[in-house]
Amino acid sequence: MRVNKQAIIKFSIGKYQDEIFCDVVPMQACHLLLGRPWQFDVDAQHSKRTNKYSFVVKGEKYILNPLTPYQVSEDYRVTRELREKYQREEKEKSESETLLAISGEETSQDGFKKSISTLPSSISSLLQEYETLFPEEMPDGLPPLRGIEHQIDFVLDTQIPNKPAYRSNPEEIKESQRQVDGLLKKGLVKESLSPCAVLVILVPKKDGT
């Protein structure tokens, strides 16, 4: 399963209070799963016979006891009610979107999209969730550093391409220069300092296009 969301979660179990960095994945559950990373961080000791976890945080010892059969039953009942409520809300939402598509009404939010009536509910909800990724104008500067950065490495012993530049008319050159100047001004691109850089924008492809 691909993880594309993370969140810092504050939680408390009795007197024990803490916050952890969690991966967010779709599950048919309403629980916080304290897995091996948390057990490693707090150096938790598990008693297999009593199924208890004990650990020390800031000089204070905590013991997590397992749920009683009654607590397990109540927890299952609450989880089932929440799941049924969520399913009812999703069904009502889907029906309302269907009526919206039939009536032909349009909705607009910050100029991101003019209508969602022709899109499936799963697509429209996805676009609404990530609408901040599609601003009307690109922000200045490069994106912030992420937790995982990627790079493209050169292949060893590869011949550097040396091909004639693409011939452009003055209008195309002027437009290309305008776009490059705009990108430089916003900080989205920088002048290349690589000795392998080819100082052209467009070059012919292998197929001649």
Side-chain angles (χ1 to χ4, degrees), residues 8-64:
I8 296 178
I9 303 297
K10 294 183 178 180
F11 69 97
S12 62
I13 304 175
K15 296 182 179 180
Y16 171 57
Q17 297 181 355
D18 203 349
E19 62 179 29
I20 54 177
F21 205 61
C22 295
D23 294 336
V24 181
V25 296
M27 296 180 65
Q28 291 294 334
C30 299
H31 299 285
L32 183 68
L33 302 181
L34 301 177
R36 289 182 179 274
W38 172 82
Q39 296 177 30
F40 178 85
D41 290 341
V42 299
D43 194 20
Q45 304 296 323
H46 181 222
S47 175
K48 296 179 176 59
R49 179 169 298 178
T50 60
N51 196 23
K52 296 180 179 180
Y53 284 89
S54 59
F55 53 93
V56 178
V57 176
K58 296 181 180 179
E60 189 170 354
K61 185 176 181 179
Y62 297 92
I63 298 178
L64 302 184

Side-chain angles (χ1 to χ4, degrees), residues 14 99 119 135 170:
L99 293 175
L119 297 175

Side-chain angles (χ1 to χ4, degrees), residues 81-97:
E81 292 177 355
L82 290 174
R83 182 167 62 246
E84 292 175 352
K85 179 182 177 182
Y86 173 77
Q87 291 174 348
R88 286 196 304 269
E89 292 176 350
E90 285 295 308
K91 184 178 180 181
E92 294 173 357
K93 180 181 177 182
S94 177
E95 291 175 352
S96 65
E97 289 179 351

Side-chain angles (χ1 to χ4, degrees), residues 14-199:
K15 296 182 179 180
Y16 171 57
Q17 297 181 355
D18 203 349
E19 62 179 29
I20 54 177
F21 205 61
C22 295
D23 294 336
V24 181
V25 296
M27 296 180 65
Q28 291 294 334
C30 299
H31 299 285
L32 183 68
L33 302 181
L34 301 177
R36 289 182 179 274
W38 172 82
Q39 296 177 30
F40 178 85
D41 290 341
V42 299
D43 194 20
Q45 304 296 323
H46 181 222
S47 175
K48 296 179 176 59
R49 179 169 298 178
T50 60
N51 196 23
K52 296 180 179 180
Y53 284 89
S54 59
F55 53 93
V56 178
V57 176
K58 296 181 180 179
E60 189 170 354
K61 185 176 181 179
Y62 297 92
I63 298 178
L64 302 184
N65 297 312
L67 297 178
T68 64
Y70 175 77
Q71 290 174 321
V72 173
S73 175
E74 281 297 299
D75 183 75
Y76 175 76
R77 181 185 62 80
V78 173
T79 302
R80 182 182 59 190
E81 292 177 355
L82 290 174
R83 182 167 62 246
E84 292 175 352
K85 179 182 177 182
Y86 173 77
Q87 291 174 348
R88 286 196 304 269
E89 292 176 350
E90 285 295 308
K91 184 178 180 181
E92 294 173 357
K93 180 181 177 182
S94 177
E95 291 175 352
S96 65
E97 289 179 351
T98 302
L99 293 175
L100 177 63
I102 294 175
S103 64
E105 295 179 1
E106 293 185 354
T107 178
S108 176
Q109 185 175 2
D110 298 331
F112 173 62
K113 57 180 181 296
K114 295 181 180 179
S115 174
I116 61 171
S117 59
T118 58
L119 297 175
S121 59
S122 59
I123 301 299
S124 60
S125 62
L126 186 67
L127 291 176
Q128 289 176 347
E129 182 178 1
Y130 294 100
E131 63 179 338
T132 55
L133 298 178
F134 306 96
E136 294 183 359
E137 293 186 3
M138 291 294 294
D140 296 343
L142 296 173
L145 293 176
R146 308 297 182 182
I148 300 176
E149 293 290 334
H150 300 277
Q151 66 181 18
I152 300 176
D153 297 321
F154 288 112
V155 179
L156 295 177
D157 301 327
T158 300
Q159 184 178 1
I160 298 176
N162 185 13
K163 296 182 179 181
Y166 180 83
R167 293 185 178 181
S168 303
N169 59 48
E171 290 299 323
E172 291 177 341
I173 295 175
K174 189 181 299 183
E175 174 62 21
S176 299
Q177 189 64 44
R178 186 190 67 80
Q179 294 188 24
V180 171
D181 291 340
L183 294 173
L184 286 170
K185 183 178 179 180
K186 287 181 174 290
L188 299 176
V189 297
K190 296 180 180 179
E191 293 186 11
S192 176
L193 301 178
S194 171
C196 306
V198 180
L199 301 180

